[in-house]
């Protein structure tokens, strides 16, 4: 019998690779700004290939690319009629990709995200959020997902609505807050208090994703781990955010003065990119702090996922192609290499 998420986490850390929006924008398959995953319908083969790359790199979870594929995002671009086929298409792509790797014990998860309509002072928006979450969760359940992630949500009360929709459907719930500058939710709750509220309301896993790089995420994750008794998740963005600029939505590349508007987000973050070893250190620190749901968010690439997987003791398929600098013509140590090529400093 297949093990569920909680059983897997009880046994040790798992990897969850996501970040499809940025990956697809960089590849030229969706537009930054609207960030609507139309690629699911227009180029499903590209989504399948990215799933394959993340699986080969060690991700235990195939997350359906339904992030920002919700009613409000589609309304903005005048394509609300595509909501159901986009959601169902993304879920099918994820399930089919997982089925290709029959020797791996993969899990498939659904995803709901920040609606961008929630307003604490407007009860009508609460109803809108509820309807949006309920329809997405219903499609995920129909597809037979193993669990659902509610993520990148900065309002505690919006997360409550998402969590209720998931638990009412009888599914395992992972609740990942995105914490902006100031280290608190939009209402003013600390990350650890907000996560504790979700645990008390039935969340199976609580934690943080997006907005913050590994260091700024870990700073808050340790407090979450101390506060809750359930499993904890950590999925930072692979960017070097700082105490001065803890989130990447409003961040400056001080080495470049040609970025329109001066804000590096979202398409000029290159110079702030974390390398694979930085992300591996984050993964190792998660294990040391008993944070077992480990992953990476917007900006993720397969090389990050692979290094993180290896760092926590996994042996992913693409480990076959780990660097071997002993064979490099200049840096290598193989005795057959020509000395003349190693003497010059390039």
């Amino acid at each position: 019998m297949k093990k569920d998420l909680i059983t897997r986490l009880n046994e040790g850390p798992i990897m969850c690779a996501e970040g499809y929006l940025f990956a697809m924008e960089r590849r030229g398959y969706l537009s930054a700004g609207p960030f609507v995953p139309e690629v699911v319908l227009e180029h499903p083969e590209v989504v399948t290939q990215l799933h394959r790359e993340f699986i080969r790199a060690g991700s235990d979870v195939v997350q359906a690319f339904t992030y920002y594929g919700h009613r409000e995002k589609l309304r903005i671009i005048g394509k609300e009629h595509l909501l159901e086929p986009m959601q169902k298409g993304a879920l099918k792509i994820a399930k089919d990709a997982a089925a290709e790797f029959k020797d791996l014990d993969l899990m498939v998860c659904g995803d709901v995200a920040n609606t961008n309509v929630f307003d604490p002072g407007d009860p009508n928006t609460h109803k809108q959020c509820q309807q949006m979450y309920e329809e997405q969760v219903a499609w995920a359940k129909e597809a037979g997902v193993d669990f659902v992630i509610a993520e990148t949500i900065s309002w505690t009360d919006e997360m409550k609505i998402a969590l209720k929709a998931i638990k009412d459907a009888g599914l395992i719930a992972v609740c990942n807050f995105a914490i902006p500058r100031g280290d608190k939710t939009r209402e003013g709750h600390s990350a650890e208090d907000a996560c504790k509220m979700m645990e008390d309301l039935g969340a199976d896993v609580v934690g943080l994703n997006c907005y913050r790089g590994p260091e700024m995420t870990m700073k808050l994750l340790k407090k979450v781990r101390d506060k809750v008794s359930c499993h904890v998740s950590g999925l930072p963005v692979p960017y070097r955010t700082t105490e001065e600029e803890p989130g990447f939505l409003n961040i400056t590349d001080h080495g470049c003065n040609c970025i329109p508007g001066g804000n590096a987000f979202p398409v000029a973050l290159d110079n702030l990119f974390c390398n694979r070893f930085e992300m591996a250190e984050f993964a190792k620190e998660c294990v040391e702090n008993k944070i077992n749901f480990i992953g990476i968010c917007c900006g993720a690439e397969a090389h990050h996922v692979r290094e993180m997987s290896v760092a926590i003791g996994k042996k992913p398929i693409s480990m076959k192609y780990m660097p071997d600098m002993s064979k490099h013509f200049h840096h290598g140590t193989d005795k057959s290499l020509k000395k003349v090529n190693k003497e010059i400093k390039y």
Side-chain angles (χ1 to χ4, degrees):
M1 184 176 177
K2 185 177 180 180
K3 298 175 182 177
D4 67 17
L5 174 63
I6 306 309
T7 302
R8 292 281 297 275
L9 289 170
N10 288 341
E11 294 175 349
I14 67 161
M15 276 295 304
C16 178
E18 51 174 82
Y20 305 109
L21 280 177
F22 274 40
M24 290 303 170
E25 192 281 331
R26 283 195 295 257
R27 288 160 171 77
Y29 291 99
L30 61 77
S31 174
F35 276 128
V36 180
E38 294 177 88
V39 62
V40 166
L41 297 175
E42 295 175 350
H43 296 282
E45 75 284 355
V46 179
V47 181
T48 296
Q49 180 57 30
L50 187 58
H51 282 318
R52 289 185 185 126
E53 291 174 18
F54 284 167
I55 293 167
R56 285 171 45 81
S59 184
D60 298 294
V61 178
V62 186
Q63 182 169 321
F65 187 15
T66 56
Y67 181 86
Y68 265 2
H70 58 55
R71 193 169 293 282
E72 172 62 13
K73 276 292 185 180
L74 287 162
R75 182 197 63 77
I76 290 174
I77 64 170
K79 296 183 178 181
E80 198 171 344
H81 63 286
L82 296 178
L83 174 64
E84 185 171 350
M86 183 179 290
Q87 286 273 330
K88 290 185 174 181
L91 288 157
K92 184 178 187 304
I93 291 169
K95 291 203 73 176
D96 288 350
E100 292 181 14
F101 297 83
K102 299 187 185 304
D103 294 337
L104 301 180
D105 188 17
L106 299 173
M107 293 173 283
V108 176
C109 80
D111 172 274
V112 298
N114 48 312
T115 62
N116 303 324
V117 300
F118 182 83
D119 181 342
D122 184 354
N124 287 328
T125 67
H126 303 187
K127 293 177 182 177
Q128 283 181 264
C129 289
Q130 180 182 342
Q131 292 168 352
M132 289 166 66
Y133 288 137
E134 286 178 349
E135 64 186 354
Q136 291 176 77
V137 170
W139 288 320
K141 182 175 182 177
E142 179 184 303
V145 299
D146 296 293
F147 60 96
V148 173
I149 297 177
E151 64 174 359
T152 324
I153 296 174
S154 299
W155 293 102
T156 310
D157 284 342
E158 184 177 13
M159 184 66 87
K160 289 178 181 177
I161 298 170
L163 172 59
K164 186 177 186 303
I166 299 169
K167 297 310 292 185
D168 283 353
L171 296 169
I172 291 173
V174 178
C175 292
N176 290 331
F177 284 98
I179 304 296
R181 193 175 302 204
D183 295 358
K184 296 182 184 297
T185 66
R186 296 286 298 276
E187 292 97 340
H189 299 127
S190 68
E192 61 269 28
D193 285 346
C195 285
K196 177 59 177 171
M197 290 179 202
M198 296 310 114
E199 179 187 27
D200 292 344
L201 289 170
D204 301 281
V205 181
V206 297
L208 309 176
N209 83 300
C210 210
Y211 287 15
R212 294 167 175 254
E215 187 176 345
M216 292 298 101
T217 297
M218 184 55 69
K219 165 190 169 184
L220 302 181
L221 273 182
K222 290 179 179 178
K223 297 176 182 179
V224 173
R225 177 67 284 173
D226 288 342
K227 186 82 173 185
V228 304
S229 58
C230 65
H231 283 291
V232 173
S233 54
L235 297 90
V237 295
Y239 296 103
R240 294 171 183 157
T241 63
T242 63
E243 290 285 357
E244 292 73 29
E245 296 177 322
F248 77 154
L249 266 75
N250 295 286
I251 194 168
T252 308
D253 177 357
H254 297 283
C256 178
N257 61 8
C258 64
I259 300 170
N263 187 8
F265 178 88
V267 294
L269 291 161
D270 309 58
N271 197 41
L272 306 170
F273 211 36
C274 291
N275 62 49
R276 63 188 72 186
F277 304 109
E278 291 172 286
M279 296 312 301
E281 289 301 309
F282 171 82
K284 286 190 282 188
E285 196 170 356
C286 280
V287 173
E288 291 166 3
N289 286 278
K290 295 183 173 57
I291 297 163
N292 276 3
F293 193 109
I294 304 168
I296 181 171
C297 201
C298 300
E301 290 290 349
H303 66 283
H304 292 120
V305 180
R306 181 178 67 183
E307 206 71 34
M308 295 172 77
S309 298
V310 172
I312 64 174
K314 294 172 61 65
K315 293 183 178 180
I317 296 170
S318 64
M319 192 175 179
K320 173 183 177 181
Y321 299 106
M322 292 285 279
D324 179 6
M325 293 305 292
S326 70
K327 304 295 192 292
H328 190 269
F329 83 97
H330 178 61
H331 294 288
T333 56
D334 192 290
K335 292 180 180 179
S336 68
L337 295 171
K338 290 186 177 294
K339 185 178 179 182
V340 67
N341 288 329
K342 299 173 70 175
E343 290 175 340
I344 187 172
K345 297 295 183 184
Y346 290 89

